[in-house]
């Protein structure tokens, strides 16, 4: 199945493995919550047990450095794409209110990004992510 849109997540390559996974999960939840049409229908097994719905399309995860993440955020925002960010300071907070305050305290160009998720038209997302490598 081909999709008109694409979901891409970029995490900083120098993070610990648990941090990369954590950031990826939080950024994926941002796309799910912010772009509800990306979510499919609930699942059910042959025994009648229900399961939560998931994305209807693949999520590609890339790795990059701080400047690459800043470039992705800037280009995607400039194209009007849906963007989610995760910054270093969020590792030190323990709740959503403090996370939002940490992001609000810093200008866009100064964000200490450790992850960025984007959603938008497939060709536009491809252009924004061009040159990045898929996460190993």
């Amino acid at each position: 199945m081909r999709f008109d849109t694409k979901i891409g997540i970029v995490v900083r390559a120098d993070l610990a493995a648990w941090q990369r996974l954590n950031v990826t999960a939080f950024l994926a939840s941002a796309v799910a919550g912010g772009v509800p049409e990306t979510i499919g229908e609930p699942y059910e097994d042959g025994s009648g047990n229900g399961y939560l719905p998931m994305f209807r399309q693949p999520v590609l995860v890339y790795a990059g450095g701080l400047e690459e993440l800043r470039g992705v955020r800037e280009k995607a925002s400039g194209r009007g794409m849906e963007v989610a960010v995760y910054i270093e300071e969020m590792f030190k907070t323990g709740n959503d209110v403090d996370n939002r305050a940490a992001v609000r305290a810093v200008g866009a160009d100064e964000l200490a990004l450790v992850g960025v998720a984007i959603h938008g038209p497939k060709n536009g997302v491809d252009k924004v992510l061009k040159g990045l490598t898929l996460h190993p």
Side-chain angles (χ1 to χ4, degrees):
M1 180 177 237
R2 302 202 51 83
F3 298 94
D4 294 336
T5 61
K6 191 170 190 175
I7 300 167
I9 296 176
V10 186
V11 295
R12 232 174 53 202
D14 64 345
L15 298 177
W18 73 268
Q19 290 174 315
R20 289 191 307 269
L21 291 169
N22 187 262
V23 169
T24 300
F26 273 107
L27 290 171
S29 75
V31 175
V35 191
E37 63 270 20
T38 61
I39 301 298
E41 296 297 319
Y43 287 77
E44 184 176 309
D45 65 25
S47 299
N49 298 303
Y51 302 98
L52 294 171
M54 293 186 269
F55 286 125
R56 298 174 330 135
Q57 62 191 96
V59 178
L60 298 173
V61 181
Y62 299 82
L66 175 59
E67 292 309 315
E68 290 169 310
L69 271 74
R70 285 180 172 162
V72 167
R73 189 210 58 78
E74 184 178 337
K75 289 183 227 172
S77 293
R79 290 175 171 266
M81 294 178 181
E82 305 284 348
V83 179
V85 297
Y86 198 105
I87 62 173
E88 285 179 9
E89 290 83 354
M90 292 166 73
F91 287 128
K92 300 171 190 154
T93 65
N95 62 77
D96 196 42
V97 171
D98 290 340
N99 284 346
R100 284 194 304 280
V103 173
R104 192 178 309 111
V106 183
D109 293 339
E110 301 302 318
L111 291 170
L113 296 169
V114 295
V116 177
I118 63 173
H119 173 265
K122 183 181 181 314
N123 63 343
V125 171
D126 286 342
K127 287 178 183 176
V128 169
L129 300 176
K130 186 175 180 158
L132 293 175
T133 58
L134 286 171
H135 192 284

